[in-house]
Amino acid sequence: MNEFTERHETVSVRELTVSDAGAGPYGLTAGPDGALWFTLVHQGAVARRDPDDGLATVHPVGDGPTVITAGADGALWFTEYRSHRIGRITPGGDYASFAPLTPEGGPYGITAGPDGAVWFTLGSADRIGRITADGEVTEYPAPGAFPSALTTGPDGALWCTLNQGNAVGRLTTDGRARAYPLPTGGAAPVGIATGPDGALWFTEIGAGRIGRITVAGDITEYPLPDPAARPHAVTAGPDGALWFTEWGSGRVGRVTVDGRVTSYALSRADSEPHGITAHDGALWCALETGSLARIEVRS
């Protein structure tokens, strides 16, 4: 594997090539088997990186796999954006896919729900779906336009970004929805994650900001040093901070719960970092140019 390493005072960034540049590593998650799983959006595949030898096993799936999550059933679930289906793969490689009720819905975000099911967004249809382990699907109207990423909040509800509605939405497991408009116009929120402070944190790809919303709906926004950074995905890190990808600048950013922002360069400004997740005591992000970056925080 080719490797790139950049070191700062307390952070090291190491890049590992896992595919050719055309395959497009996009989303990633820690699997129930201790491995790191990631999607190859342009190759139509899901891959497993072995925790022992680092080798990647590639499994063909449907067209356009994007965001991936571990389900409560011990399998990995992911959205197939271009084939408009929800995919499921076991750690052993058994694959199945399921059609949402709404055709051509453009599934994108996906998360394990508080009720044991998996929840997903249908951005093109302004709907949010729920799927059980055996493939039974229910759908609800989203609280606004173009739901993007979603996550389970500390209040037991589903929280999602409304990319074209310029808002953050909340949906209960029985379908009651509410939207919270953002203070900044054109923010176009995408990624969202629950933070260690009991709030929801999200990226504003259009405004170059990171947002924070409490379960009561109070919103704070933190501008990034580079307004054109185009922050994309966000996750809680093992160091008690939030980490996010800067798709427009080829960097990975970190924001503390009191709003202090730092940023770390990847090997190329055009590396196109997308998904990011905590795994094995570090942060990992997927670079669409063919690599995974491992970001280690040193105490």
Side-chain angles (χ1 to χ4, degrees):
M1 291 185 178
N2 295 327
E3 296 184 7
F4 161 81
T5 302
E6 175 166 319
R7 295 190 182 276
H8 298 261
E9 288 184 357
T10 58
V11 173
S12 68
V13 182
R14 181 186 183 204
E15 292 182 21
L16 307 171
T17 301
V18 292
S19 72
D20 61 47
Y26 190 93
L28 73 177
T29 193
D33 56 347
L36 186 66
W37 289 76
F38 57 97
T39 59
L40 297 168
V41 64
H42 303 309
Q43 187 175 332
V46 168
R48 176 188 184 273
R49 183 180 187 274
D50 190 273
D52 296 321
D53 58 22
L55 297 179
T57 303
V58 177
H59 303 276
V61 295
D63 194 15
T66 47
V67 183
I68 186 168
T69 192
D73 60 341
L76 289 305
W77 291 78
F78 51 94
T79 49
E80 297 177 358
Y81 185 78
R82 288 194 286 268
S83 60
H84 304 284
R85 298 179 71 85
I86 304 300
R88 178 185 184 272
I89 191 166
T90 67
D94 296 324
Y95 162 69
S97 71
F98 307 91
L101 302 180
T102 302
E104 307 296 307
Y108 179 77
I110 194 165
T111 193
D115 55 353
V118 171
W119 291 72
F120 58 91
T121 60
L122 294 170
S124 300
D126 295 342
R127 297 182 70 78
I128 295 175
R130 175 187 185 272
I131 185 167
T132 63
D134 58 2
E136 182 181 351
V137 177
T138 310
E139 291 180 9
Y140 302 97
F146 208 87
S148 186
L150 81 167
T151 192
T152 294
D155 57 347
L158 286 304
W159 289 77
C160 66
T161 49
L162 301 169
N163 182 262
Q164 299 301 306
N166 211 59
V168 171
R170 179 183 185 272
L171 184 79
T172 61
T173 54
D174 59 359
R176 290 176 287 122
R178 179 176 177 178
Y180 298 89
L182 300 181
T184 301
V190 180
I192 189 167
T194 297
D197 56 346
L200 289 304
W201 291 74
F202 56 94
T203 61
E204 298 183 2
I205 197 170
R209 297 172 179 232
I210 300 298
R212 176 186 184 271
I213 183 170
T214 67
V215 294
D218 298 320
I219 297 172
T220 308
E221 296 173 312
Y222 300 100
L224 300 182
D226 178 5
R230 298 187 70 77
H232 184 265
V234 63
T235 193
D239 58 340
L242 285 301
W243 288 77
F244 55 93
T245 51
E246 298 182 13
W247 175 66
S249 63
R251 300 177 70 89
V252 174
R254 176 183 186 268
V255 58
T256 61
V257 293
D258 58 356
R260 291 177 288 119
V261 177
T262 49
S263 184
Y264 305 94
L266 298 169
S267 60
R268 292 166 45 180
D270 64 348
S271 58
E272 297 189 57
H274 286 291
I276 189 166
T277 194
H279 171 65
D280 192 28
L283 283 305
W284 291 76
C285 72
L287 314 184
E288 199 168 334
T289 46
S291 300
L292 301 181
R294 184 181 190 275
I295 303 100
E296 184 177 358
V297 183
R298 301 180 185 276
S299 57

